[in-house]
Amino acid sequence: MSRASEVLAIHQLLGRIVYFHTLFIEPELRPSTPLAPGQACCNHATAPGQLSVGELLPDSAWEALVEVATTLPAHHRPCPKATGACCATCRVVSAATAVAAGWAQTEFRSYRQAEPAETLLRDCGHRAATRLGRVFATQHASRCPALDRLTVPEALPNTEELPLTGELLALWAEPTATTRRPVASWLNHCTGLDDVRRVLETRRTGS
C-alpha cells in the first residue's frame, strides 16, 4: 500500500470515529464529573524530547480524536500540563483511551441498563490506546516510552456484545490493510443506540 493510501485509510477511520460518536454516543451521554488529570506525558516526565503536540497535531486529522475525547470528561485524562509542548503520542494515547472507555460504558448502559465493570472499561481503553497510539507513532516516526510500557489485555468485547466499541478496536488492529471493510456493516443502517439494541436482540433470539 502506498503512503498516500495509508494516510487515506487512517483519515477514513478517524472520520468513522467522529461519525459514530456524533450519531450514536454523544446523544446518550450523561452528565459526568471530570476526572483529575492523568500522568504527565513523556515530555513533562522522564523522557523529554519526544515530538510534541505543537509539531504534529495542529491541522492534523488526529486532532479530531482529541476533540471527541474532550466530550468524555469522565474518561479523558490528559497530561496535567496539557500544552503544545506535550508528547504528541501521549496525547493521542490518552484520547484513544477515553474514547474506547466512554463508548464501552455508553453502549453497556444502553443495551443492559446497568453499569459495566471498571475492568471492561480499562481493558477497552488500553487496547485502543495501544492500537491507535502505535498507528500514530508509526505514521509520524515518533517514539513514546509511555506507549511502549502499555500492557495489552487478552479478552475484549466483540461486535455482538458492544458493536461500536468492538468495531473500533477491530478496525484499528490493522488499519492500513489493503482490503478494509466495516466489521459490523449492519451498523451503517442504524441511526441510534436504540436501533443497535434492537438488532442485537434480534440476532440473539433469531426472531
Side-chain angles (χ1 to χ4, degrees):
M1 179 178 282
S2 69
R3 170 71 175 174
S5 297
E6 290 178 358
V7 172
L8 178 60
I10 291 169
H11 283 197
Q12 288 175 333
L13 291 186
L14 289 169
R16 193 167 179 83
I17 289 175
V18 174
Y19 175 74
F20 275 9
H21 186 75
T22 302
L23 182 65
F24 294 109
I25 302 298
E26 207 161 14
E28 302 295 331
L29 292 178
R30 302 177 185 178
S32 57
T33 302
L35 291 177
Q39 295 181 341
C41 72
C42 291
N43 283 350
H44 289 122
T46 59
Q50 311 309 321
L51 291 172
S52 71
V53 167
E55 292 174 291
L56 297 183
L57 288 187
D59 301 320
S60 164
W62 287 95
E63 185 63 27
L65 179 71
V66 178
E67 291 175 1
V68 168
T70 62
T71 69
L72 299 162
H75 303 282
H76 190 214
R77 302 187 66 198
C79 172
K81 295 191 176 180
T83 68
C86 283
C87 168
T89 306
C90 282
R91 180 70 60 86
V92 167
V93 164
S94 67
T97 301
V99 170
W103 283 23
Q105 182 181 56
T106 304
E107 284 198 275
F108 196 97
R109 284 172 170 174
S110 178
Y111 310 149
R112 305 192 187 187
Q113 304 300 307
E115 288 295 325
E118 284 298 321
T119 53
L120 172 66
L121 305 186
R122 183 176 62 250
D123 288 351
C124 289
H126 282 184
R127 176 70 80 173
T130 55
R131 289 187 173 176
L132 275 75
R134 286 170 183 166
V135 171
F136 178 84
T138 299
Q139 182 185 8
H140 296 284
S142 60
R143 179 176 172 271
C144 180
L147 174 62
D148 294 339
R149 291 193 297 269
L150 281 178
T151 57
V152 181
E154 294 294 332
L156 288 168
N158 58 43
T159 54
E160 293 299 318
E161 298 174 279
L162 302 177
L164 299 176
T165 309
E167 171 157 299
L168 168 71
L169 299 175
L171 287 176
W172 284 91
E174 194 179 355
T176 56
T178 303
T179 302
R180 177 56 55 205
R181 298 176 182 174
V183 176
S185 59
W186 55 265
L187 286 170
N188 295 331
H189 304 289
C190 298
T191 59
L193 289 186
D194 285 343
D195 287 345
V196 176
R197 184 177 65 251
R198 283 192 288 270
V199 171
L200 289 176
E201 290 172 352
T202 299
R203 292 166 73 90
R204 280 195 294 266
T205 62
S207 59

